[in-house]
Amino acid sequence: MHFTEDLENLKNNKPCSSALVKLRPFIDKNGIIRVAGRLSNSNEHYNYKYPYILPRRDRVVELLIEHYHKKHLHAGPELLMSLLRNKCWILAARRIIHHIIHKCNTCFKSKPRAILPLMSDLPSQRVNQAEKAFTHVGCNYAGPLQYTHLRGRGIRSRKAWLCAFTCLTTRATHIDVATDFSTVSFLAALKRVLSRRGPIKCLYTDNGTCFVGTHSYLRDFYKLIDKELNPRLHEELDENRIEWKFIPPASPHFGGCWESMIKVIKSHLFKVIGQQILSYEELLTVLTQIEALLNSRPLTSMSCDPAEPSALTPAHFLNSFPLSSFPGYPTDSTSLIQRHSLLDSPVQSFWQRWRSDYLHKLQVRAKWNSLAAPILVGTVVVIMTDNAPPLSWPLGVVEKVHPSKNRIVRVVTVKTAKGSFVRPVVRLCPLPNQ
């Protein structure tokens, strides 16, 4: 029962509660509490001038709002309130109307809202000193770009892709060109970066077809070596074996460290060449110059004092060691004689500046600072799909969750009509009426 006390007060000509006193309610001949208001001289119909009063928390009120919402083609909050006020006056109407519309699946599908979990801590390869630059590497493709293999009249253009390798620790970048999107082409680019930048310990990529194909090729190659070659060669190859790791599908933010470099490279490239179609040699020259520019960018703030050392850049960590071996490890001794080589001193000074001047800048979370509601197994979600309108995005059910070290779920397995897929939670929009 609602308004029991107010009904007794009205019958006894006593003041109403604070929720109704501004409406000057009265009881009509049918025993219904209505709003007296100030529209008695209006030419509108009786229900408009004296709408009956309804409570906020009641299932009947929710059903009434849902009926008007669907009847009037999923009207918005303001229009829905205007339609309801033609007959009734719902207390705290705006709040309950927003709540009902928020739970409408049809309205939600037209403008889904994804889950944004707390931004995770940086992985160890971003915040710990490495043996050298390009020990932990993120790789990504960009393009295609148009180029010509020769300069001349009637020469047809061809496609090429940028292949960018980014050191996760020093933020140094190596840019290469792949002439097609295949395993063979990426293997050739990988051999070139290994020859120029030295051994790679761990390689991070997305789930592109060329990356998956190369990973399968190298995995089968290592299996063959394990079976056929002697243990001594096996130990030698084990030292230089690349650990290949994939980020979850459809989750470029997991590779933001190297995705951001792709954005910068493309920005510089298109500003320089515009709509021109370069030859292969010209394209390679421009990309090499962009690489030098990116590796010369300061990682720390620049001082105005000329006595201060120059700002630390990724270039300080490059080409300061033999390409076939690793540099010396840090030591507490200050004597150069006790080091493995004279190059260790500048190398370690660069790493010391990296720890003292650069590392603390990675503390702040730029976004995703609040804990989101955890996604559970069995939750029905709308899966964001690129190049498709929201109303055509498929539905799925969370089949399995994959929590991180701090037990925050950022990746799940979703079961759809076409099978099960691994997806990040930022690409999932849970239906509201669960």
Side-chain angles (χ1 to χ4, degrees):
M1 294 291 292
H2 299 279
F3 308 126
T4 305
E5 184 178 349
D6 292 307
L7 190 62
E8 291 296 326
N9 290 338
L10 288 173
K11 290 179 178 178
N12 299 323
N13 293 323
K14 293 181 179 180
C16 298
S17 63
S18 59
L20 301 181
V21 67
K22 292 183 179 181
L23 303 177
R24 292 197 71 246
F26 70 95
I27 302 174
D28 66 3
K29 59 182 179 181
N30 296 320
I32 298 174
I33 302 178
R34 292 181 177 269
V35 177
R38 305 173 65 192
L39 302 180
S40 58
N41 295 323
S42 172
N43 293 327
E44 298 294 335
H45 57 82
Y46 182 80
N47 284 333
Y48 187 89
K49 292 190 291 184
Y50 309 109
Y52 50 87
I53 300 176
L54 295 177
R56 180 170 68 89
R57 292 190 179 93
D58 193 89
R59 181 56 183 161
V60 174
V61 176
E62 293 180 358
L63 292 174
L64 178 65
I65 296 173
E66 289 176 3
H67 170 72
Y68 270 74
H69 178 60
K70 294 177 181 178
K71 178 182 178 181
H72 296 280
L73 308 178
H74 296 272
E78 296 300 326
L79 176 58
L80 190 57
M81 181 182 293
S82 176
L83 294 170
L84 287 167
R85 290 252 168 107
N86 287 332
K87 289 188 176 180
C88 60
W89 189 281
I90 302 173
L91 300 180
R94 184 171 278 103
R95 186 185 306 174
I96 185 62
I97 288 173
H98 276 281
H99 178 69
I100 296 298
I101 293 178
H102 178 76
K103 293 198 304 180
C104 177
N105 286 341
T106 303
C107 295
F108 180 82
K109 288 180 181 179
S110 65
K111 195 175 181 180
R113 293 174 295 278
I115 297 176
L116 299 177
L118 180 70
M119 183 179 288
S120 65
D121 296 338
L122 290 172
S124 60
Q125 62 271 13
R126 289 289 310 278
V127 297
N128 291 322
Q129 177 179 335
E131 292 87 351
K132 66 175 189 65
F134 289 98
T135 299
H136 304 279
V137 178
C139 178
N140 198 15
Y141 267 48
L145 303 173
Q146 298 294 328
Y147 79 98
T148 58
H149 66 289
L150 293 173
R151 303 294 292 176
R153 183 175 296 177
I155 303 297
R156 296 184 61 183
S157 63
R158 299 183 178 182
K159 291 182 179 180
W161 282 262
L162 303 180
C163 189
F165 297 85
T166 302
C167 175
L168 304 187
T169 309
T170 65
R171 305 289 286 150
T173 303
H174 176 93
I175 306 176
D176 215 316
V177 178
T179 53
D180 57 49
F181 203 68
S182 66
T183 299
V184 176
S185 180
F186 178 69
L187 270 174
L190 183 59
K191 290 177 181 177
R192 290 194 292 270
V193 73
L194 289 172
S195 301
R196 294 176 182 174
R197 304 302 183 186
I200 293 176
K201 183 178 180 180
C202 191
L203 182 64
Y204 296 82
T205 64
D206 57 23
N207 290 263
T209 53
C210 64
F211 299 138
V212 175
T214 304
H215 175 261
S216 301
Y217 171 83
L218 293 177
R219 182 188 57 204
D220 296 339
F221 178 69
Y222 285 131
K223 286 182 179 179
L224 177 64
I225 291 175
D226 290 342
K227 292 180 180 178
E228 302 294 335
L229 299 184
N230 56 61
R232 182 178 178 183
L233 183 58
H234 170 68
E235 291 175 4
E236 184 70 23
L237 289 171
D238 254 349
E239 294 180 2
N240 297 317
R241 178 174 295 185
I242 299 174
E243 183 182 2
W244 203 307
K245 294 185 179 181
F246 292 100
I247 62 175
S251 56
H253 64 283
F254 274 74
C257 182
W258 58 88
E259 291 283 354
S260 60
M261 298 310 301
I262 286 289
K263 180 181 178 181
V264 177
I265 293 169
K266 291 168 68 175
S267 174
H268 284 292
L269 180 63
F270 293 136
K271 287 177 182 178
V272 172
I273 67 173
Q275 300 295 323
Q276 299 179 61
I277 298 179
L278 305 180
S279 67
Y280 182 83
E281 183 179 358
E282 292 170 337
L283 179 62
L284 199 59
T285 302
V286 172
L287 291 176
T288 305
Q289 290 176 323
I290 293 175
E291 176 189 304
L293 178 67
L294 295 181
N295 289 334
S296 300
R297 74 191 190 278
L299 295 177
T300 59
S301 57
M302 301 180 66
S303 174
C304 297
D305 188 355
E308 292 288 331
S310 60
L312 189 67
T313 68
H316 284 100
F317 300 93
L318 302 177
N319 301 328
S320 57
F321 57 91
L323 292 177
S324 59
S325 64
F326 294 117
Y329 288 92
T331 176
D332 295 332
S333 174
T334 58
S335 174
L336 293 177
I337 299 176
Q338 297 179 5
R339 297 181 183 271
H340 295 289
S341 81
L342 294 176
L343 288 176
D344 283 344
S345 179
V347 168
Q348 295 309 321
S349 68
F350 295 151
W351 282 114
Q352 180 60 38
R353 291 182 60 192
W354 177 85
R355 288 192 296 271
S356 61
D357 299 343
Y358 171 71
L359 195 58
H360 66 85
K361 294 188 175 183
L362 305 179
Q363 285 278 17
V364 179
R365 287 179 168 87
K367 57 180 180 179
W368 302 351
N369 295 308
S370 58
L371 287 171
I375 190 167
L376 305 174
V377 175
T379 303
V380 182
V381 295
V382 178
I383 305 173
M384 291 184 176
T385 305
D386 295 330
N387 304 319
L391 288 176
S392 65
W393 290 351
L395 289 175
V397 179
V398 176
E399 191 175 39
K400 187 178 179 181
V401 296
H402 309 283
S404 59
K405 292 180 180 179
N406 54 3
R407 307 189 65 82
I408 296 178
V409 177
R410 297 183 176 89
V411 181
V412 299
T413 301
V414 185
K415 185 177 182 180
T416 67
K418 296 183 179 180
S420 297
F421 304 94
V422 177
R423 289 293 182 268
V425 297
V426 297
R427 306 281 292 178
L428 304 179
C429 309
L431 294 180
N433 60 347
Q434 299 180 75

